[in-house]
Amino acid sequence: MSPRPLPCDKSELGTLFLFEKLDQDQLERLCREGRVEQFDAGPVYTEGDEATCFYVLLEGTVVMSRRVGADDVEISRSSQRGVYAGAMQAYLNGPDQTFYKGSMRVTEPSRFFVLPAATFAAVLRDWFPMAVHLLEGLFFGSQNTQRTIGQRERLLALGSLSAGLTHELNNPAAAAVRATSTLRDRVAHMRHKLGAIAAGPYARDTLETLIEIQERTAERVAKATPLSPLEASDREDSLGDWLEDHDIAGGWQLAPTFVQAGLDTDWLDQVAAAVDEETLEGAVRWLNYTVETELLMTEIEESTTRISHLVDAAKQYSQIDRAPYQVVDVHELLDSTLLMLAGKLGPGIKVTKEYDRTAPRIPAYPGELNQVWTNLIDNAASAMEGEGTLTVRTAHDHDQLLVEFRDTGPGVPAEIRDRIFDPFFTTKPVGEGTGLGLDISWRIVANKHHGSLSVQSVPGDTRFQVRLPLTAADTETPEEAS
């Protein structure tokens, strides 16, 4: 139903806090170029529509809301005379100011003073030219500041991630270098020992048996299962005693290697049965080089595999060579982010994953979601100050996917809980935080993915909950991830 026009009373406008300082000529111009309208309960304007009017409440109750996914989330509600909404930034020259930033409805018959957007901009420029310049500077300056600091924050986060990744890569790389150096030495000793065996008093069938034992030994090393510390200690004692009983010097040095390879006294008995007592020690030491070589190659393989996994995680995190908008498995994104931040979390923070693997893949901007995960995990780590538990949980929540980050830090005080998503709001000391991490996260989740980001907090249990729609918005055309 269309609003009903009503007479405009300039004396009534003069009682509103917005217009109380205007003179009679100015009030008369407002009445002449504006209008008073009565709206029945229902919508007044809708988010995303062309911003054609500036509304000032004369009587009634208004509800302001923002679109989040498929829902309208109430932002504020007021019955105060003079509250205003609509084309509030019509005086700014920019495409973003031509659309309503939210929706407004009334819960009862309500009267408004309505001023066309073009008239609102004209009267501001005519009556308050200096104020318009100041407001333009404040608005665009704030946008530029937010954009610049946002870029700086992303660079700082990238630096932190790079440092963490470098630390994570250094350990397996150093292990591979050490193992390769040791392997070179062991292979040289093996060649020397092989020459000694070939020149020794070994019969042809004895050499064939030793080579067969060597092959079986290599297979056993590859299939060795880890022992408990107590089991390993008992087996070392048993092997040490066997070597000592067979007059093999330094048996206590050989025993740990054999145990690590999964070998036992039965294996030594097979070696002893293949050679005589005079050549047993040489055969055992030659086979020891075989065992060490296999163990070192396994260590190199594990180290290089670890490096490969870290590189894959870095590619997954950065979304190199990926479409910006695609259908993704959120768990892969979470795992890559946790791996990238492992160095920052440190040994004092235990990470627990409670994934609902039945949850479907979702259409999303994975690179930007990784930024959200990074901000939330970084905040949790800072709150726990290096000690605590971070629980990352996913769940299928009706037509949304829930991703929850729970930490055991001191919590978010109730008096600031409503402000933590505001731009530039931070509780960190000067220089340690820009106050844009949660604001950026909220805009990525709400504006880009049509989801929601909320917080629940008590001391020892703070939960940031991200809800993402399972289906794409009509305007999006996601590509299936390859």
Side-chain angles (χ1 to χ4, degrees):
M1 183 179 296
S2 301
R4 296 188 299 277
L6 298 172
C8 179
D9 182 356
K10 67 178 182 180
S11 60
E12 182 182 25
L13 295 185
T15 64
L16 304 176
F17 65 85
L18 196 61
F19 304 136
E20 62 186 359
K21 298 297 183 180
L22 301 182
D23 59 33
Q24 293 300 310
D25 290 340
Q26 291 172 323
L27 292 172
E28 187 173 334
R29 179 180 175 182
L30 289 180
C31 271
R32 182 173 65 252
E33 300 187 24
R35 60 188 184 273
V36 173
E37 293 181 342
Q38 174 95 16
F39 287 80
D40 292 329
V44 176
Y45 62 78
T46 303
E47 180 177 350
D49 288 349
E50 184 181 358
T52 58
C53 296
F54 176 72
Y55 296 86
V56 182
L57 181 66
L58 297 175
E59 181 182 19
T61 302
V62 298
V63 175
M64 304 300 302
S65 62
R66 290 290 304 270
R67 174 72 65 172
V68 179
D71 302 318
D72 283 322
V73 178
E74 182 174 322
I75 304 300
S76 64
R77 180 183 296 248
S78 178
S79 299
Q80 181 182 356
R81 295 179 69 251
V83 295
Y84 51 89
M88 294 184 296
Q89 296 166 348
Y91 58 89
L92 297 174
N93 295 318
D96 292 342
Q97 281 69 57
T98 60
F99 301 97
Y100 291 119
K101 301 298 191 297
S103 300
M104 183 171 73
R105 62 184 174 88
V106 293
T107 59
E108 59 182 331
S110 303
R111 283 192 307 124
F112 289 90
F113 172 67
V114 183
L115 201 58
T119 303
F120 175 57
V123 297
L124 276 179
R125 293 192 180 97
D126 290 346
W127 298 345
F128 313 107
M130 183 177 178
V132 169
H133 288 302
L134 291 173
L135 288 170
E136 284 180 333
L138 178 63
F139 180 81
F140 291 117
S142 175
Q143 278 194 328
N144 291 335
T145 300
Q146 185 168 333
R147 188 179 304 111
T148 302
I149 294 182
Q151 292 172 345
R152 175 65 175 170
E153 181 164 272
R154 284 189 286 272
L155 287 173
L156 290 173
L158 179 61
S160 177
L161 288 170
S162 299
L165 180 60
T166 301
H167 174 76
E168 291 295 315
L169 285 170
N170 182 65
N171 291 334
V177 170
R178 288 194 303 269
T180 302
S181 177
T182 306
L183 178 63
R184 185 186 300 275
D185 178 70
R186 294 299 183 270
V187 170
H189 280 77
M190 182 182 290
R191 290 196 302 267
H192 174 75
K193 183 62 66 176
L194 181 61
I197 289 175
Y202 290 93
R204 180 183 181 89
D205 58 344
T206 300
L207 288 175
E208 289 177 350
T209 302
L210 280 175
I211 291 173
E212 182 184 352
I213 293 174
Q214 182 187 39
E215 292 297 325
R216 293 203 308 268
T217 299
E219 292 177 3
R220 290 187 63 169
V221 173
K223 299 176 182 177
T225 56
L227 301 176
S228 70
L230 182 59
E231 290 173 330
S233 178
D234 290 343
R235 186 172 292 187
E236 284 182 21
D237 292 341
S238 177
L239 286 169
D241 292 341
W242 191 99
L243 294 168
E244 184 178 349
D245 292 342
H246 289 76
D247 298 325
I248 296 177
W252 59 273
Q253 293 177 312
L254 302 177
T257 302
F258 291 155
V259 171
Q260 185 181 355
L263 306 178
D264 51 23
T265 55
D266 291 340
W267 172 77
L268 288 173
D269 288 337
Q270 294 178 33
V271 178
V275 297
D276 55 34
E277 291 186 8
E278 182 181 349
T279 57
L280 175 61
E281 181 171 354
V284 169
R285 293 192 180 280
W286 177 59
L287 291 173
N288 177 64
Y289 289 133
T290 298
V291 171
E292 287 188 326
T293 300
E294 289 296 322
L295 291 174
L296 288 167
M297 286 192 293
T298 299
E299 183 178 351
I300 292 170
E301 181 183 20
E302 291 175 349
S303 298
T304 53
T305 299
R306 171 69 174 165
I307 292 172
S308 178
H309 287 166
L310 286 167
V311 172
D312 287 343
K315 290 179 67 176
Q316 171 71 267
Y317 180 85
S318 62
Q319 292 296 300
I320 293 176
D321 300 329
R322 306 286 181 91
Y325 190 75
Q326 55 184 292
V327 177
V328 297
D329 183 348
V330 166
H331 304 107
E332 293 178 357
L333 305 183
L334 291 169
D335 285 341
S336 67
T337 304
L338 287 168
L339 185 56
M340 294 290 288
L341 292 172
K344 188 163 189 175
L345 290 172
I349 296 179
K350 177 184 177 183
V351 177
T352 302
K353 299 177 184 178
E354 297 179 359
Y355 290 169
D356 178 5
R357 293 290 186 179
T358 65
R361 294 154 65 90
I362 64 169
Y365 295 89
E368 300 197 29
L369 283 184
N370 282 339
Q371 187 178 356
V372 174
W373 312 150
T374 300
N375 290 336
L376 297 180
I377 293 171
D378 182 63
N379 280 354
S382 298
M384 291 186 284
E385 297 182 341
E387 295 288 340
T389 299
L390 171 66
T391 302
V392 183
R393 182 172 72 93
T394 64
H396 194 164
D397 186 10
H398 301 291
D399 61 345
Q400 294 180 314
L401 175 66
L402 169 66
V403 183
E404 180 182 81
F405 299 85
R406 182 167 73 244
D407 69 69
T408 56
V412 181
E415 60 270 19
I416 67 169
R417 207 167 296 158
D418 293 337
R419 302 168 55 201
I420 60 174
F421 297 112
D422 292 348
F424 307 111
F425 180 79
T426 180
T427 58
K428 296 178 182 177
V430 174
E432 292 188 16
T434 62
L436 281 178
L438 289 178
D439 169 58
I440 291 172
S441 299
W442 188 91
R443 285 189 281 112
I444 289 173
V445 172
N447 296 345
K448 200 99 181 210
H449 291 84
H450 309 290
S452 65
L453 172 58
S454 60
V455 62
Q456 301 173 5
S457 183
V458 296
D461 186 1
T462 296
R463 307 183 185 203
F464 281 88
Q465 296 181 329
V466 177
R467 286 181 169 81
L468 300 166
L470 300 180
T471 56
D474 294 338
T475 56
E476 307 287 9
T477 55
E479 299 176 12
E480 288 290 340
S482 57

